[in-house]
Amino acid sequence: MKFIVYRYNPDVDTAPHMQEYDVEVTRGMMLRDALMEIKRQDESFAFRHSCGEGVCGSDAVNANGSNLLGCTTPVSDLKEPVNVRPLPGRPVIRDLVVDMSQFYQQYRAVQPYLIHKDPLPEKEMLQSPEDRDKLDGLYECIMCGCCSTACPSFWWNPEKFYGPQALLQAWRFLADSRDQATEERLDALEGPYKLFRCHSIMNCVEYCPKSLNPTKAIGKIKELMLKHSI
Amino acid sequence: MTLARRRFDALIIGAGGAGLNAALQLANANLRVAVVSKVFPTRSHTVAAQGGVNAALANVFEDNWHWHMFDTVKGSDYLGDQDAIEFMCREAIPTVYELEHNGVPFSRLDDGKIYQRAFGGQSQNFGGAQAARTCAAADRTGHAILHTLYQQNIRARTHFFDEYFGIDLIRDEEGAILGALTLEIETGEPLLIEAKTTLLATGGGGQVFRTTSNAHINTGDGMAMALRAGVPLMDMEFFQFHPTGIAGRGMLITEGVRGEGGYLINKDGERFMERYAPNAKDLASRDVVSRAIVTEVKEGRGCGPNADHVLLKVDHLGEDIIAKRLPGIRESSKIFAGVDPAVEPIPVFPTAHYMMGGIPTDRLGHVVIPSSDGSEEIVPGLFAAGECACVSVHGANRLGGNSLLDILVFGRAAGQQIINHLKENPEHRAMDESSVEQAMSRLSRWEETGEGIPVRELRDEFRKVMEDHAGVFRTDEIMSEGVEKVKEVREKLKDVRLGDQSKIFNTARIEALELENLIDIGMAIVLSALERKESRGAHSRPDYTERDDENWMKHSVYFKEGDRLDYKPVQTKPLTVETFPPKPRVY
């Protein structure tokens, strides 16, 4: 099977180029296996990967125009020749390795941690199964970046718009019955850019490899914001 | 060129559950803590833990830490140190509550308490009815915990060095550890991190085997750094095979599946665990279930065209339980085995999973060099926690749900102990430049060019040797051959050449450095395994089928220098309760 892969090493290349590789496909092969095979053929090829089972989020790439995880994408699902590129809109460090610093900054900007102000109980803070269910679809995010790097609002305003991943996290804490910082969280999302640059294009939903729905989470924040401002 | 240097109170290498829980204690105490991680922290393999973390919270049935302690000692096949086990089982309770307070989204019971499920090897009342002790966030407990710890570290302003690789520990002539030389992966530039204390928390090394549940990054880096600094590794022969990896692939199907009522069948559709463990059945401890599966396959009752696996049946649990408690398992079975467990059984086979051995420490996280007379010498300034450490609480076999517990309890304890240590040792010691040069030479060795063996070729050869010669069943003949072959591989290492000499994000260079680490710990595994002439827990020998308490109730201790083995007695005296004397293990 033919793979056409984005190559750029600033140490030796003056410009990026696409390089072709032939990989013998075996049954059950995932895109990550194919990339590892390319690495065997060509030691100089660089990409991130680790768990191999869709839980660590390292090996997000763009294949045939879609953002996806290499380790959970069967090559048999991909049309030949397979074009493999780095996640869009991020500075390329080398080959498929992109600089995700901004993405992580946005994550940190939403205060992605539980804030509880009352004295803590000796045992667990109680939470009903119904309240816990509200976190399903939110806490599973693996921070692979497939959503944010597929979002046009994120491409246009990466310094100001927080992007789907960070906003999903913002909602994960707003939705947690144990969190006691709702006011501050909503105040911190005020303004025309951080939250409101989401135009419900829904690329994030299409590309999330964990089937999460950042657009819906953003909608929930907007609703809460509205109630909060009344 | 001058070497870049940074100074911190504490350096933590590894950002999994142990490293991050230690870092959080330190950052909350306003100490300057650096966390070096070769991947972005939430990529650490703790993220893959599924089933849960044990603590006798008694949220479902009556429970107490003493019962948990009994199960852990029995599960360890009596090779675990009972003082450390007591400490872990008692500390489990405040540790889990602290995690909950930090925001871990545990699943809940109707009364709002943390959900606890049944897991293998765990009982009420010292061997009575099955216990429900494993606290779970659906089947994504590791993910929930790792992300929460990272988040709290952001709040506490821990200093992260993301995508930095630990090269070697720096030590002075008195043997004190002064920090470590690291490599910034993005730029290829070395960075010396000077620290008053250093904690190794680099996780396991499952990549020594070809088929493993471990991530690509689990290459035993911290253990190999310790070995090169003169610290031995303890109990390395005890490598747990998880009973239910997806056949041929290795991705894990959590024991929580059996905890929820799933069971194993052979090609005749027989629930074979009833023959091997009449009471606990599919919830016997992992070594027992792994051996049973391998025996079924060896005796011709395996499933599939090659009769090489068994089946894990789940569909009788119903869609609801599967969707609520096992959503991740359903997802990975569909992707990697091509089966929906709500409809069809999952093909499974034991997979290399977890190292019970590692860097010897006491229960406060100090790295110690043990000796056969029972004495232990503390390595000044060095701590270890998590899978890379051997406290030792798992002995010859680890209970499911005790790995997250081990990394969290001992990571937390190490963090607290480092705070004490820093109060008594507030100054940096003088840097030892000769040790820095030695570490730098390990890096520059990979600048040698010319004809040679490619990294991948030797890695493939090595991993095949390990799989063939240190698998589930081990005979004298197979393993003697294994030791020779690993020696040959180690010899060839000097002929390995790196083709790619560029500096920017050179993953080939990282893989070369990882290969050195893998081979060092591979040698520790095969040598310790060859010499232990008994079957105990995860170490199973057809030529010595019985557990031999008279000669082998002791820990193995492997030193890299001269490939020397020593032994140390098992600590059978707990802290406050009576000793559990060895008994035959019946499940």
Side-chain angles (χ1 to χ4, degrees):
Chain A
M1 194 165 177
K2 202 174 288 283
F3 290 81
I4 305 174
V5 181
Y6 180 96
R7 300 297 313 271
Y8 177 60
N9 178 355
D11 246 5
V12 291
D13 299 326
T14 49
H17 61 281
M18 300 300 288
Q19 193 167 343
E20 255 187 54
Y21 297 91
D22 267 314
V23 174
E24 197 180 324
V25 170
T26 52
R27 199 174 149 265
M29 191 181 232
M30 300 288 167
L31 176 60
R32 168 184 181 250
D33 302 318
L35 295 177
M36 285 165 78
E37 184 48 41
I38 292 171
K39 175 92 180 157
R40 299 176 62 80
Q41 294 176 21
D42 182 349
E43 192 177 81
S44 74
F45 168 54
F47 68 108
R48 291 186 180 105
H49 67 112
S50 186
C51 74
E53 53 184 73
V55 294
C56 82
S58 308
D59 67 346
V61 293
N62 184 283
N64 289 348
S66 299
N67 290 352
L68 42 76
L69 294 181
C71 61
T72 55
T73 304
V75 292
S76 55
D77 285 3
L78 297 167
K79 214 174 131 232
E80 194 176 357
V82 185
N83 265 276
V84 189
R85 293 171 169 275
L87 287 177
R90 299 288 85 217
V92 173
I93 295 170
R94 173 174 176 173
D95 299 339
L96 300 183
V97 179
V98 293
D99 180 352
M100 296 290 278
S101 347
Q102 192 134 52
F103 174 83
Y104 297 137
Q105 261 167 32
Q106 284 155 333
Y107 173 71
R108 284 193 291 268
V110 301
Q111 299 195 293
Y113 37 81
L114 191 79
I115 301 174
H116 184 88
K117 297 170 184 170
D118 294 344
L120 290 165
E122 198 179 315
K123 297 184 171 182
E124 63 265 65
M125 297 184 261
L126 299 178
Q127 184 174 49
S128 70
E130 296 72 36
D131 279 339
R132 167 59 182 78
D133 284 352
K134 292 177 186 156
L135 306 181
D136 282 338
L138 307 173
Y139 82 96
E140 302 93 325
C141 172
I142 56 173
M143 299 174 72
C144 61
C146 285
C147 61
S148 291
T149 62
C151 170
S153 297
F154 182 85
W155 298 334
W156 292 324
N157 292 295
E159 299 87 21
K160 296 180 189 163
F161 176 53
Y162 284 168
Q165 194 276 337
L167 292 169
L168 181 88
Q169 293 290 339
W171 179 245
R172 179 248 173 276
F173 289 99
L174 283 165
D176 196 322
S177 60
R178 300 169 297 172
D179 190 83
Q180 297 178 327
T182 305
E183 302 285 308
E184 296 94 304
R185 292 184 188 282
L186 291 176
D187 288 345
L189 290 170
E190 286 281 2
Y193 283 100
K194 296 169 187 168
L195 169 72
F196 285 97
R197 278 290 139 155
C198 167
H199 299 304
S200 308
I201 298 165
M202 292 186 65
N203 279 5
C204 54
V205 183
E206 186 172 350
Y207 294 122
C208 175
K210 304 305 278 186
S211 308
L212 309 181
N213 191 332
T215 306
K216 190 170 151 202
I218 292 168
K220 297 264 193 191
I221 304 177
K222 287 178 179 169
E223 247 173 65
L224 199 61
M225 200 88 123
L226 203 66
K227 276 189 213 153
H228 173 71
S229 63
I230 293 169
Chain B
M1 190 196 77
T2 55
L3 175 62
R5 293 168 191 241
R6 296 283 300 267
R7 278 185 157 203
F8 289 88
D9 293 319
L11 163 64
I12 294 174
I13 306 179
L20 291 187
N21 212 10
L24 188 55
Q25 312 300 321
L26 289 157
N28 279 340
N30 289 317
L31 291 162
R32 281 174 51 77
V33 52
V35 174
V36 164
S37 175
K38 71 175 166 179
V39 290
F40 183 73
T42 61
R43 317 283 186 244
S44 304
H45 199 52
T46 300
V47 83
Q50 297 169 346
V53 49
N54 294 334
L57 306 183
N59 284 358
V60 177
F61 302 129
E62 193 190 343
D63 205 355
N64 71 57
W65 63 260
H66 202 184
W67 300 348
H68 181 190
M69 179 184 168
F70 166 78
D71 292 332
T72 304
V73 172
K74 178 185 171 187
S76 82
D77 219 346
Y78 298 93
L79 197 75
D81 287 350
Q82 296 194 18
D83 57 341
I85 293 175
E86 178 182 337
F87 179 83
M88 178 175 79
C89 296
R90 291 166 63 146
E91 286 296 302
I93 296 161
T95 299
V96 166
Y97 287 138
E98 185 178 279
L99 288 167
E100 196 281 332
H101 295 161
N102 279 331
V104 173
F106 284 110
S107 300
R108 298 285 170 158
L109 297 160
D110 285 340
D111 59 7
K113 292 180 178 173
I114 295 170
Y115 169 70
Q116 297 190 281
R117 61 165 46 124
F119 242 59
Q122 288 162 56
S123 68
Q124 302 179 62
N125 208 7
F126 311 108
Q130 176 68 42
R133 188 175 290 145
T134 309
C135 310
D139 54 2
R140 302 189 176 98
T141 315
H143 168 99
I145 290 174
L146 183 68
H147 280 253
T148 299
L149 287 174
Y150 179 61
Q151 291 162 350
Q152 290 295 334
N153 272 286
I154 293 176
R155 184 193 51 73
R157 299 181 184 280
T158 297
H159 192 107
F160 283 99
F161 289 91
D162 297 335
E163 299 191 321
Y164 279 66
F165 187 79
I167 301 297
D168 261 324
L169 294 169
I170 306 300
R171 63 200 286 251
D172 64 20
E173 279 179 0
E174 286 161 48
I177 302 301
L178 312 172
L181 182 70
T182 68
L183 176 76
E184 183 179 11
I185 297 173
E186 182 177 336
T187 60
E189 296 296 339
L191 170 69
L192 181 66
I193 299 183
E194 299 181 42
K196 296 169 197 167
T197 56
T198 301
L199 170 72
L200 294 171
T202 58
Q207 287 290 331
V208 290
F209 294 105
R210 268 200 311 185
T211 309
T212 169
S213 66
N214 282 203
H216 180 72
I217 51 172
N218 295 130
T219 51
D221 303 331
M223 290 182 234
M225 285 167 84
L227 275 180
R228 286 191 295 268
V231 176
L233 296 181
M234 193 161 97
D235 288 343
M236 291 298 284
E237 61 272 44
F238 298 105
F239 202 108
Q240 182 171 69
F241 288 76
H242 190 289
T244 56
I246 293 178
R249 304 299 299 265
M251 295 86 185
L252 212 60
I253 302 296
T254 173
E255 190 174 340
V257 169
R258 283 171 285 136
E260 298 289 348
Y263 57 84
L264 297 161
I265 52 175
N266 60 20
K267 76 164 187 199
D268 306 319
E270 181 202 7
R271 288 188 67 168
F272 57 86
M273 277 314 299
E274 300 186 354
R275 276 190 281 123
Y276 300 89
N279 294 312
K281 298 181 181 121
D282 297 84
L283 287 175
S285 68
R286 289 182 173 176
D287 56 325
V288 174
V289 182
S290 290
R291 281 195 218 179
I293 294 174
V294 174
T295 306
E296 287 296 302
V297 167
K298 277 195 149 172
E299 292 178 358
R301 294 186 295 278
C303 308
N306 302 320
D308 58 359
H309 59 265
V310 298
L311 296 171
L312 176 58
K313 192 170 146 54
V314 185
D315 59 292
H316 61 284
L317 296 178
E319 286 263 355
D320 276 3
I321 291 282
I322 294 173
K324 201 165 177 62
R325 304 282 189 226
L326 307 166
I329 286 312
R330 189 177 195 178
E331 194 181 305
S332 45
S333 301
K334 282 183 180 172
I335 296 171
F336 298 107
V339 303
D340 179 353
V343 185
E344 281 178 88
I346 313 166
V348 294
F349 194 71
T351 298
H353 182 51
Y354 189 91
M355 295 173 115
M356 265 75 76
I359 304 161
T361 72
D362 62 18
R363 67 178 180 277
L364 304 173
H366 296 112
V367 172
V368 292
I369 299 184
S371 72
S372 27
D373 63 13
S375 66
E376 286 181 337
E377 181 197 330
I378 287 185
V379 180
L382 187 61
F383 291 76
E387 190 174 342
C388 74
C390 180
V391 186
S392 90
V393 288
H394 306 311
N397 168 57
R398 177 177 69 80
L399 288 190
N402 266 3
S403 66
L404 281 177
L405 184 60
D406 166 358
I407 68 177
L408 295 163
V409 162
F410 293 110
R412 183 169 173 259
Q416 290 166 350
Q417 186 56 31
I418 289 172
I419 295 172
N420 295 335
H421 181 89
L422 287 169
K423 281 181 194 146
E424 289 156 24
N425 301 276
E427 303 297 327
H428 283 273
R429 296 168 72 109
M431 197 24 66
D432 187 302
E433 298 301 331
S434 69
S435 181
V436 176
E437 266 167 46
Q438 208 174 348
M440 285 294 287
S441 70
R442 176 157 182 255
L443 255 186
S444 53
R445 174 261 176 270
W446 291 104
E447 286 162 17
E448 292 167 33
T449 51
E451 288 294 298
I453 307 169
V455 172
R456 61 159 195 282
E457 195 179 303
L458 193 65
R459 186 176 56 215
D460 289 353
E461 184 182 335
F462 166 69
R463 295 172 76 198
K464 183 153 182 358
V465 169
M466 290 300 294
E467 189 147 297
D468 292 349
H469 297 276
V472 179
F473 286 107
R474 307 159 163 188
T475 63
D476 212 80
E477 192 190 346
I478 289 175
M479 281 190 304
S480 306
E481 218 178 299
V483 168
E484 288 317 306
K485 285 186 173 173
V486 175
K487 281 186 178 161
E488 280 168 33
V489 166
R490 189 169 65 182
E491 195 52 34
K492 283 185 195 167
L493 198 52
K494 66 176 187 334
D495 300 322
V496 176
R497 292 291 177 275
L498 191 58
D500 180 3
Q501 291 289 333
S502 63
K503 296 197 89 164
I504 309 294
F505 218 99
N506 187 338
T507 53
R509 176 148 68 152
I510 300 301
E511 287 184 5
L513 291 160
E514 288 173 338
L515 178 64
E516 290 181 326
N517 291 339
L518 284 170
I519 292 174
D520 274 351
I521 61 170
M523 182 58 92
I525 294 170
V526 287
L527 258 183
S528 311
L530 170 66
E531 291 307 323
R532 181 174 288 272
K533 311 221 186 281
E534 65 160 351
S535 286
R536 187 188 294 263
H539 177 69
S540 169
R541 298 192 55 164
D543 47 357
Y544 300 92
T545 53
E546 298 302 313
R547 189 177 86 197
D548 176 358
D549 289 337
E550 201 178 314
N551 295 305
W552 288 102
M553 217 175 103
K554 56 187 179 187
H555 300 288
S556 68
V557 182
Y558 164 83
F559 293 83
K560 180 175 158 76
E561 201 185 341
D563 289 326
R564 184 165 66 86
L565 275 178
D566 195 359
Y567 292 91
K568 143 187 175 185
V570 173
Q571 173 55 267
T572 52
K573 202 173 154 20
L575 300 170
T576 66
V577 294
E578 301 266 302
T579 298
F580 291 109
K583 283 201 294 196
R585 284 199 311 161
V586 195
Y587 281 101

